[in-house]
Amino acid sequence: IFAGKLAFDYTISKHIMLLWGIESEYVKGHGTLESGNSSISSSDFLEKEHKHAFYLEERAGWGNWLFHVGMRYESLTADYVDKLSLDKNSHRHYRNLFPSLDLTYSHGGWTNSLSFSSRTNRPSFRQLSNYTYYANEFMYQHGNPKLQPTTLYITEWNTGYKFVNASVSYTYKRNLIASDLYTEDKNSQQLILSSFSNFSHAQVIAANINLQHTYMWWRPSLRIGVVHPFFDCKYMGEPYSYGKT
């Protein structure tokens, strides 16, 4: 892994500041597996990833108001080379813009903040590789080179007064990456395969409240949260909902 970053800032006035920078990363991974078991295929693969990013932010403050807006651009190239089966090779090039926005108001010990952000969760090399992880004679796991990144859009409201803080958030996950179990009949032996798949989308609503107060040298705290997902898929050929609070 090689990574580098350059960060700059410029103060326009006592109320406004600009920040910008560039980032670059290079990652390379290689793995092999030699197997004499007819149920487990041998593998020999190489993975490379290049990422270049540029970001620009503006921060401003007037009186009780703070404002932040930013934009990040990422260009990522990822290559998977299967040395034993060239038809499984893949080349991916992602270009993404990630905006962010934050507005905060503070007055008399009370603080309110409303924010929006976007980000990505890219599959790990283990999730992408065709490498087989052996569990036992009836179960093994392998990756999925065709996985696409998950894109998240998050809207959140935070409020706080003295020792009480609360938040409510909504998250939309596009191309959700999740574990996927299935079976296949290979060489007259029933095998359970564990892999990863992309699902169309999932949504999550969450709310939290946190009470924390300092008493002498003690700082007791109480945190209560509730989460409700919205996620539907098929299990054993039947529709199934994971929308449980």
Side-chain angles (χ1 to χ4, degrees):
I1 301 174
F2 298 93
K5 178 179 179 178
L6 286 173
F8 306 89
D9 62 78
Y10 180 73
T11 301
I12 299 176
S13 69
K14 65 178 182 179
H15 298 295
I16 302 175
M17 174 180 285
L18 285 179
L19 303 95
W20 69 95
I22 56 175
E23 301 174 8
S24 183
E25 298 177 9
Y26 173 77
V27 183
K28 182 180 179 181
H30 176 250
T32 60
L33 171 70
E34 294 183 9
S35 172
N37 189 327
S38 59
S39 300
I40 307 296
S41 303
S42 297
S43 60
D44 188 355
F45 65 89
L46 174 69
E47 292 169 313
K48 295 183 292 183
E49 181 180 288
H50 294 82
K51 183 173 73 173
H52 305 286
F54 171 79
Y55 69 89
L56 176 65
E57 301 178 27
E58 180 185 3
R59 296 179 183 175
W62 289 276
N64 299 323
W65 293 90
L66 292 175
F67 176 76
H68 164 265
V69 61
M71 182 68 72
R72 178 182 175 89
Y73 171 77
E74 286 188 1
S75 174
L76 182 139
T77 302
D79 293 292
Y80 176 85
V81 180
D82 191 320
K83 298 182 179 180
L84 301 182
S85 182
L86 298 181
D87 62 320
K88 295 180 180 178
N89 292 353
S90 67
H91 172 79
R92 298 176 302 279
H93 191 181
Y94 306 115
R95 300 179 181 88
N96 300 103
L97 282 173
F98 300 107
S100 62
L101 179 67
D102 186 278
L103 183 63
T104 302
Y105 176 78
S106 302
H107 180 71
W110 191 286
T111 301
N112 284 277
S113 177
L114 182 64
S115 64
F116 168 80
S117 62
S118 58
R119 62 195 68 173
T120 184
N121 286 339
R122 295 188 177 93
S124 66
F125 278 158
R126 174 167 178 165
Q127 291 174 322
L128 286 170
S129 75
N130 210 33
Y131 189 94
T132 301
Y133 299 88
Y134 180 83
N136 54 58
E137 59 181 316
F138 302 110
M139 183 174 183
Y140 62 91
Q141 181 189 79
H142 63 76
N144 179 3
K146 296 182 179 180
L147 282 177
Q148 296 296 314
T150 299
T151 304
L152 295 89
Y153 302 95
I154 305 168
T155 302
E156 186 172 18
W157 172 61
N158 287 276
T159 184
Y161 181 74
K162 295 184 177 180
F163 63 92
V164 181
N165 291 279
S167 67
V168 178
S169 66
Y170 167 77
T171 303
Y172 184 90
K173 304 178 181 181
R174 188 180 67 188
N175 288 334
L176 174 70
I177 297 175
S179 298
D180 195 9
L181 295 171
Y182 55 94
T183 61
E184 71 174 17
D185 191 5
K186 189 175 183 180
N187 298 328
S188 300
Q189 186 180 41
Q190 193 73 12
L191 297 173
I192 300 175
L193 279 69
S194 172
S195 189
F196 307 92
S197 295
N198 282 115
F199 295 87
S200 173
H201 68 278
Q203 303 172 80
V204 178
I205 294 177
N208 293 277
I209 184 170
N210 184 53
L211 311 176
Q212 181 172 290
H213 187 66
T214 300
Y215 178 73
M216 297 178 66
W217 53 83
W218 298 99
R219 185 178 291 177
S221 65
L222 172 66
R223 181 179 177 89
I224 302 173
V226 60
V227 178
H228 185 89
F230 298 87
F231 176 49
D232 299 317
C233 68
K234 286 188 176 182
Y235 176 72
M236 301 293 289
E238 299 292 332
Y240 190 85
S241 174
Y242 288 87
K244 295 180 175 62
T245 302

